[in-house]
Amino acid sequence: MNYILEILPSLLNGAKLTLEIFFWTLIGSLPLGLLVGLGLTSSFMPLRALLRFYVWLMRGTPLLLQLIFVFYGLPLIANGVFTLERYDAALFAFILNYTAYFAEIFRGGLQSIDQGQYESAKVLRLSYWQTIRKIITPQVIKIVLPSIGNEVINLVKDSSLVYVIGLGDLLRAGNIATSRDVTLTPLILVGIIYLILTAFCTYILQKLERHYSYWR
Amino acid sequence: MLELKNLTKKFDKRIILDGVNFSIDDGKILCIVGQSGAGKTTLLRCISGLERADAGEILVDGKKFDPVNTKNQDSVIGIVFQEFQLFPHLSALENIMLAPELVLKETKVQAKEQAQDLLEKLSLKDKADLYPYQLSGGQKQRLAIARALAMKPKILCYDEPTSALDPALRDAVKKIIVALKKDGITQIVVTHDMEFAKQIADKILKVEVLKK
Ligand SMILES: Nc1ncnc2c1ncn2[C@@H]1O[C@H](COP(=O)(O)OP(=O)(O)O)[C@@H](O)[C@H]1O
Ligand SMILES: [Mg+2]
């Protein structure tokens, strides 16, 4: 018990970083994902092609590779002109990656909205963005919420990948304690903290789904 | 007055509407009849700017009118779609209030007052807070009419207003259309139901399926 209390601060410190990455990635990639999703359904071919390439790249390569590439690779290419702090590099890579996944989900949601919804909005003379904001987005969110939820849970766990560029997240904190003290306790604690985080996310997502169930 | 002159619409190479002409005086009811596939819906979509006509022109009160580009113009055309296309995430009241608030920049109070009047007029007063999925077919249709009327269009169009309803409700729609006529609203009713058209129309336009 004493041991647990002893290592808990360093684990919670790691958990704080994990949460920060989680939080900012969502703040960045959800709206961006919706925008890219809109682009993916655009009738402007070059835009669609470009975005499809981006999504293909992001979903076709490991996030781990993208992370390493952004942190170690970009400075090499840019010849030292362009470097990112570890934390910024991690966020950049995560947002880039998750935007692509969210965009695909939003694309599916957008395509399942009846064309007639756009048309009735148009006849009522709503502008394109008014239509997207007031008519389309609320309906899309309801449709995509379960799939978004899956990715959100994944993100909690994926955030542990930041250890490769030397960031001290939750998993890394546990790992350090385990190898130093030769005991499994820290890793078990780490597992429990992840479970608490994902349970909390699941709870929020359920709440959201219930909120959106007032119409059909 | 709305006039169509020589309106032509093709899909790819296929001519659907070949030089349609008609005019309708203010406050009158024009019925557009014809078999399924004759192009009735397409004609409505051209008038309301959802499709661009390939040739011909549309005049409102003698002035040329481009329905596709209606920025900075008054509401000219309102539509009641065959499937109504209500907004499922908005209550009946909100469905009506949305466009007047966003587009006509009415205040919430104004928009709400007007929406409540419209609900009352279309016997939906007690349905204000219900969502479209909680309404019957006839109620949905009346809500769609109320939503269109809230934008104060010069002309209100209906696509097959009787098709989604059982026969008992046909008379109810007829009553609404006739009542709106008394209010001075110009109406265009698309239907394949000649009987219905004869009962309400001041003028009937037939469209035929064009071969090739
Ligand atoms: N977007 C479209 N692209 C190609 N053909 C279409 C399109 N919309 C309608 N059509 C064709 O135009 C014809 C007329 O359709 P429509 O106006 O819906 O007829 P109605 O409403 O009189 O039943 C039909 O043959 C239909 O297949
Ligand atoms: Mg039709």
Side-chain angles (χ1 to χ4, degrees):
Chain A
M1 196 60 208
N2 261 344
Y3 178 67
I4 292 178
L5 287 178
E6 209 171 285
I7 59 165
L8 207 52
S10 70
L11 292 189
L12 289 180
N13 223 1
K16 191 172 144 251
L17 183 85
T18 296
L19 279 175
E20 272 172 26
I21 297 221
F22 171 79
F23 181 74
W24 290 114
T25 301
L26 284 187
I27 294 288
S29 59
L30 281 171
L32 282 174
L34 178 59
L35 282 179
V36 175
L38 280 168
L40 284 168
T41 58
S42 148
S43 53
F44 184 55
M45 219 279 283
L47 177 67
R48 229 171 43 222
L50 184 77
L51 291 178
R52 250 196 239 154
F53 176 77
Y54 156 71
V55 169
W56 173 69
L57 202 66
M58 289 297 129
R59 300 205 311 167
T61 57
L63 175 52
L64 194 55
L65 176 65
Q66 293 162 19
L67 209 50
I68 295 169
F69 190 86
V70 168
F71 185 62
Y72 297 107
L74 277 189
L76 283 181
I77 294 174
N79 230 339
V81 184
F82 185 74
T83 51
L84 285 171
E85 293 293 316
R86 286 168 206 279
Y87 178 72
D88 296 332
L91 262 188
F92 184 66
F94 269 84
I95 289 178
L96 220 52
N97 179 278
Y98 270 82
T99 295
Y101 279 91
F102 288 144
E104 267 302 288
I105 294 173
F106 280 122
R107 181 188 59 79
L110 284 163
Q111 284 174 339
S112 66
I113 303 290
D114 192 329
Q115 196 58 32
Q117 290 284 303
Y118 291 92
E119 294 185 342
S120 63
K122 176 148 193 257
V123 175
L124 291 168
R125 299 196 300 137
L126 268 63
S127 70
Y128 175 75
W129 285 109
Q130 286 173 336
T131 306
I132 295 297
R133 255 188 22 243
K134 300 287 186 173
I135 309 295
I136 305 303
T137 305
Q139 296 186 54
V140 168
I141 289 178
K142 182 183 169 84
I143 295 169
V144 301
L145 212 48
S147 322
I148 295 283
N150 271 333
E151 291 303 327
V152 168
I153 303 282
N154 274 337
L155 175 59
V156 175
K157 298 176 286 179
D158 271 355
S159 64
S160 63
L161 294 174
V162 298
Y163 83 92
V164 284
I165 58 172
L167 279 174
D169 75 321
L170 173 58
L171 182 59
R172 186 182 159 103
N175 225 344
I176 289 171
T178 288
S179 37
R180 183 189 57 213
D181 306 332
V182 203
T183 154
L184 273 181
T185 316
L187 287 187
I188 291 169
L189 277 176
V190 165
I192 291 172
I193 296 178
Y194 273 116
L195 282 172
I196 292 172
L197 292 182
T198 49
F200 182 68
C201 287
T202 310
Y203 172 76
I204 297 286
L205 285 161
Q206 265 175 9
K207 279 258 159 189
L208 272 175
E209 280 186 40
R210 206 162 307 148
H211 167 76
Y212 276 99
S213 66
Y214 67 86
W215 92 81
R216 265 182 244 147
Chain B
M1 185 161 94
L2 175 78
E3 288 169 278
L4 255 68
K5 289 195 172 154
N6 216 10
L7 192 102
T8 300
K9 176 71 192 167
K10 302 177 205 158
F11 283 120
D12 302 320
K13 291 263 149 57
R14 205 156 66 97
I15 296 177
I16 307 296
L17 300 170
D18 188 11
V20 174
N21 291 290
F22 71 70
S23 68
I24 171 172
D25 289 325
D26 289 345
K28 300 288 184 198
I29 298 174
L30 171 75
C31 281
I32 301 176
V33 294
Q35 289 172 359
S36 172
K40 304 182 296 295
T41 298
T42 305
L43 181 54
L44 268 197
R45 291 172 62 83
C46 288
I47 297 172
S48 59
L50 294 172
E51 301 281 356
R52 191 179 275 287
D54 293 294
E57 54 185 24
I58 301 174
L59 304 174
V60 173
D61 299 332
K63 281 194 225 93
K64 210 169 154 153
F65 168 68
D66 177 9
V68 179
N69 224 324
T70 54
K71 283 205 190 94
N72 319 319
Q73 292 184 21
D74 296 336
S75 305
V76 176
I77 309 288
I79 286 218
V80 178
F81 290 92
Q82 191 167 4
E83 286 93 16
F84 313 135
Q85 297 298 347
L86 298 168
F87 304 129
H89 59 299
L90 300 179
S91 70
L93 193 71
E94 291 164 340
N95 259 280
I96 303 176
M97 288 168 62
L98 183 77
E101 264 193 275
L102 289 179
V103 181
L104 306 180
K105 308 288 176 208
E106 288 181 13
T107 64
K108 206 175 192 90
V109 180
Q110 274 176 318
K112 189 168 179 182
E113 214 164 89
Q114 182 195 218
Q116 278 163 339
D117 288 348
L118 283 166
L119 284 173
E120 167 130 43
K121 190 166 170 176
L122 289 154
S123 342
L124 290 170
K125 201 176 174 202
D126 53 336
K127 306 284 184 268
D129 296 324
L130 297 188
Y131 288 85
Y133 81 94
Q134 295 167 308
L135 301 176
S136 72
Q139 291 164 347
K140 279 186 194 145
Q141 182 177 55
R142 299 206 298 277
L143 178 54
I145 295 172
R147 185 180 65 174
L149 284 174
M151 290 299 282
K152 307 180 185 76
K154 285 207 177 82
I155 298 154
L156 184 57
C157 308
Y158 308 75
D159 195 359
E160 307 275 7
T162 55
S163 70
L165 305 177
D166 47 71
L169 284 171
R170 231 178 67 162
D171 286 334
V173 192
K174 192 167 81 188
K175 275 198 194 117
I176 292 171
I177 294 176
V178 171
L180 289 175
K181 182 183 172 176
K182 286 212 184 84
D183 292 347
I185 294 172
T186 312
Q187 298 172 89
I188 298 180
V189 182
V190 156
T191 178
H192 61 264
D193 184 345
M194 194 58 179
E195 204 50 38
F196 183 73
K198 277 182 185 153
Q199 289 169 9
I200 57 169
D202 294 304
K203 202 170 180 179
I204 291 182
L205 174 78
K206 284 191 187 135
V207 286
E208 311 269 339
V209 183
L210 296 174
K211 295 278 177 290
K212 223 188 130 11

